[in-house]
Structure formats: structure tokens, C-alpha cells
Amino acid sequence: MRLMTSALALTLAAGAADAQTRIEFWHAFSGNNGDAVGELAEMFNESQPDYEIVPVYTGNYTEGTQKLTAAIAGGTAPGLVMLEITRYGLFADRGALEPLQPYIDAASADWTEQIRPFALEASKCLGESYVIPFNVSTPVMYYNKDMFRAAGLDPEQPPRTWEAVTEAAEALTIRDGDETTQWGLTTPPQWVRWAMTNQAGGGWVDPADNAVQLDSPESVKAYQYAADWVNVHEVASLEAALDEDVADQYFDTGRAAIEFNSTGGLTGNLTDLPFDLGVAPLPCETVCAAPIGGATLGIVATAEDSVKDGAWEFIRFVTTPENNALVFVRTGYLPIIKGAIDTHLARERIEEHPEYLIANEQLEVAFARARPPAMPAIRSEEPAVWQSIVLQEQTAEEALGAFAQQMRDMIARDQM
């Protein structure tokens, strides 16, 4: 009888496992942030018997976009995807994402009202909801307080303007003959170059009407200023200016004193960097401005209905105050759910590290970026334009003038 009972139990367990819907979740989080995704998936899987979320790391945002494009064309797309906030418009425009408005309408009013307005607005395309915000960020200025002290600078008074950054970087740069042993800063990565254009009074693309702004005098000024940190002031490495990964390595290993990067790396930086870390808002120019970054969750339109249902349940699961607080403290990405910052988990971390509030406060000057279908292609082309400027192959006016016309053509083709 005992053997028969055991056999029956195994049969029932196998049947339950077969009935569970498996949902691949393609995401762009590695390291510490990837661990947070895995933890959320495990919590969700244990919370109910019907669905299994299977996280799959597909590379950074750019690589994930490329892989998803290929998977959709080949009929091998997953059910749930993480899409960077300026890139999901491409998939929404092509009908590759499931419209989420019916799901949202069916949800309780309490759930929709708990999403902070800036996050909800940044995740709409063509006036419709095709994604739900998951992790939201702004860039901040990280700096090495130990290097500030050694240079005679007050680590509690970081520079707040472009000019002040230049002055600090000059004091922080150390040379030994013809060799630079310590750089004052690393040049800004792409989305901080975007921020600088807005700070100067220009921009990339107007989110209201997709008008290209990158060849405006204000935007040209911003790019030229960033390039001058390499070629005029000589406080930033050319090698690091040409490769954002190298720039990260320079800062992480103590070869540069200042870098501009995402608040999404805050937890990892506080944990891993072997020096006293400073965190400050982005320095300002004509105005203060910081782009809203991060990623969203979307459901693939071709997925089976049961997969779509399970993906939506996971979206609902991760957008509770408690689970959003977990993302906040495990990564540094901003809380997008009202009440998340007031949970015990979040307050405990903020009390230990007040730096977590800096990017959250910077939301007062944050802006949502345009996301036409052409934006992934535009973003993939921009690094070559920046390189031509920093290598002094073209002036900022020449390079951005030509690229702006190319951008207009790309956006126009998508509207035909």
C-alpha cells in the first residue's frame, strides 16, 4: 500500500508540474542586479502554483534589443521581455508587443494609481500602454572622496556646474612627465551626453513632436564641451572616451576620480568599490536636467494566452510596494511605486546610505526622452559621431549637423 501511495503521489506531482505554464523572461540585468531579478522570480514562483518565470540574461540593453528583434523574426521570442525605456517604441510600432491597456483597465484602480506619474508617462508610446515600468533611473555623478581629499578638495562639496567640474578635474589629474597616472574624470556616456544637451538648452529629439534638436547651437556646445575635457583641458582619457566599458574600469580601479553613471549601479558601487564613494546630482549648465532611464516590462504579442496571463501576473507581483522596494535596495534603481520608499526595507537602507535619495530627489529636474521607432538605430549610430568629434576628425558642428539630418531621415521613414 505504501508503494502504491508513493507512486500515486509522484504521478500527481508530475501532473501538477506539467500543468504549470513556463514563461521565459528575457532581461538585461547581470551581477548584483541580475541576482535581484532571480530573487523576484523565485519569490513569484513560490507564491502560486500556476506559472513559472524563467529569467534569461540576454546581454545589455542594446544586445537584448538585437536578440529580441532576431527572435521575433524567427518565431522564437519569449513571453516576457525587459526593454530599455527609449527602445520599446520600435517593438510597439511593429505590433510585436501586446497592448496592455485591457489588462490595466481590468486591474483595480488602487493598482494603477500606485504607479508614480513620471514612470507611467515614460512608459507610454503613441499614447498607449504597451509596457509597464520596472526599473527607473537617472544618471548621477560618482566620485572618489579619497582622491578629492588628496587633491585638497572638499569631498562634501562636489562640483555642481560644468565649469566647476573642469576646475576640480584639473586639480585631480596627476601627471608624471608625459604620462598621466590619474585622470580627473571620464567623459560622459551616451545618455549623459543627452543630458548635457538638454542642460545647455538643446536636446536630441523633442518628445512632443519628434523634432530633431541635435544640431542646435546649444546641443553642439554640449558635445564640444565634453570633447574639450579630452582635447583642450586634458583631464579625461581618450581611451576611456572611446569605450564606455573602459571608462567604468578607469573609475572602478582608481585611474579616474569622477564618472557619470546610472543610479542603477549604486548598490554594486557601494558594495564593491575599494574607496570612499561620493554620490552627487549631475552638474548643471544653463538649467539642471537629467534623463529618465531604466527599463520596462512588455508581453510579446505572439505568446500563447496562458503565457500572457502569467507574464501579467508577474508584472503585478513586482509592482507592489514591498517588491519594488526590494528592487530599489538591491540595485539603486528608483522606486516607481508609491509607498515603496516608506517600507521598512527601504527606510533601513536609506538610513544606512543616504546616497539612495540623491537620484530620487533629482527627479524634480528629470525629463522623459523621445522614443520614436527609429531611436534604437539612432542610439546605435551616435557613438561613431561622438568618436569623430573626440578624435577631432570633425568639429561638433560638422558631425552633429550631418547626423541630425540622418536622424530626420530615419524618423521620417518610420512615419511613412
Side-chain angles (χ1 to χ4, degrees), residues 108 148-149 243 261 272 294 333 339 407:
S108 66
F148 269 59
R149 294 186 186 96
D243 190 321
N261 217 325
D272 300 334
Y333 280 104
M407 290 167 64

Side-chain angles (χ1 to χ4, degrees), residues 11-257:
T11 300
L12 291 173
D18 290 341
Q20 193 175 51
T21 299
R22 185 177 186 273
I23 303 157
E24 278 197 6
F25 171 29
W26 286 13
H27 67 88
F29 278 5
S30 60
N32 181 75
N33 294 357
D35 292 341
V37 168
E39 186 174 350
L40 283 170
E42 184 176 348
M43 290 166 56
F44 173 75
N45 293 342
E46 292 176 352
S47 72
Q48 46 71 50
D50 299 322
Y51 308 106
E52 179 191 10
I53 291 290
V54 181
V56 178
Y57 173 65
T58 55
N60 61 30
Y61 290 141
T62 299
E63 293 165 343
T65 298
Q66 294 167 346
K67 289 178 182 178
L68 181 60
T69 300
I72 290 172
T76 58
L80 181 66
V81 291
M82 176 185 287
L83 294 168
E84 193 271 334
I85 210 160
T86 65
R87 292 175 169 93
Y88 69 83
L90 169 68
F91 300 101
D93 181 70
R94 294 179 178 178
L97 294 179
E98 179 78 359
L100 296 185
Q101 199 60 50
Y103 294 87
I104 294 171
D105 291 342
S108 66
D110 290 344
W111 180 78
T112 54
E113 290 173 0
Q114 74 176 349
I115 301 176
R116 296 172 72 181
F118 78 87
L120 201 56
E121 173 59 28
S123 62
K124 284 190 174 181
C125 181
L126 310 174
E128 298 291 335
S129 294
Y130 289 91
V131 294
I132 294 294
F134 175 64
N135 56 291
V136 173
S137 62
T138 64
V140 294
M141 183 174 75
Y142 294 107
Y143 62 100
N144 188 318
K145 287 187 174 182
D146 295 336
M147 290 182 176
F148 269 59
R149 294 186 186 96
L153 301 175
D154 185 351
E156 305 309 321
Q157 297 293 326
R160 301 302 298 267
T161 65
W162 294 4
E163 182 178 357
V165 168
T166 302
E167 292 174 358
E170 288 172 341
L172 290 160
T173 300
I174 299 175
R175 308 186 202 284
D176 183 5
D178 294 335
E179 182 182 358
T180 301
T181 57
Q182 177 179 297
W183 295 99
L185 54 74
T186 61
T187 54
Q190 185 186 83
W191 71 317
V192 181
R193 296 195 288 273
W194 197 328
M196 291 179 70
T197 63
N198 280 69
Q199 290 183 351
W204 270 36
V205 178
D206 188 333
D209 58 9
N210 286 341
V212 174
Q213 304 165 310
L214 199 55
D215 55 350
S216 68
E218 295 82 4
S219 298
V220 169
K221 170 189 173 181
Y223 270 74
Q224 192 61 62
Y225 200 101
D228 285 350
W229 277 327
V230 176
N231 297 314
V232 176
H233 303 290
E234 298 182 342
V235 294
S237 158
L238 175 61
E239 179 189 24
L242 298 177
D243 190 321
E244 293 181 10
D245 290 337
V246 172
D248 288 342
Q249 293 170 13
Y250 268 51
F251 181 72
D252 293 351
T253 59
R255 294 190 63 188

Side-chain angles (χ1 to χ4, degrees), residues 340-379:
I341 204 166
D342 297 318
T343 62
H344 175 73
L345 183 64
R347 299 312 306 178
E348 187 176 54
R349 179 58 59 91
I350 291 168
E351 184 175 349
E352 182 181 3
H353 291 292
E355 298 94 336
Y356 279 86
L357 286 178
I358 289 172
N360 193 61
E361 294 167 353
Q362 191 172 243
L363 287 173
E364 294 182 10
V365 298
F367 62 93
R369 292 173 287 170
R371 40 200 176 273
M375 188 54 72
I378 290 170
R379 295 196 66 178

Side-chain angles (χ1 to χ4, degrees), residues 271-351:
T271 303
D272 300 334
L273 296 184
F275 51 79
D276 190 5
L277 179 70
V279 186
L282 283 184
C284 307
E285 179 58 9
T286 302
V287 297
C288 293
I292 294 174
T296 61
L297 301 181
I299 300 173
V300 176
T302 55
E304 295 181 0
D305 287 346
S306 60
V307 171
K308 291 177 182 178
D309 291 342
W312 176 251
E313 288 304 313
F314 181 70
I315 289 173
R316 290 286 303 273
F317 180 81
V318 299
T319 49
T320 64
E322 294 75 17
N323 290 336
N324 187 224
L326 185 147
V327 175
F328 172 53
V329 302
R330 295 283 192 275
T331 67
Y333 280 104
L334 304 178
I336 61 172
I337 302 299
K338 298 173 185 176
I341 204 166
D342 297 318
T343 62
H344 175 73
L345 183 64
R347 299 312 306 178
E348 187 176 54
R349 179 58 59 91
I350 291 168
E351 184 175 349

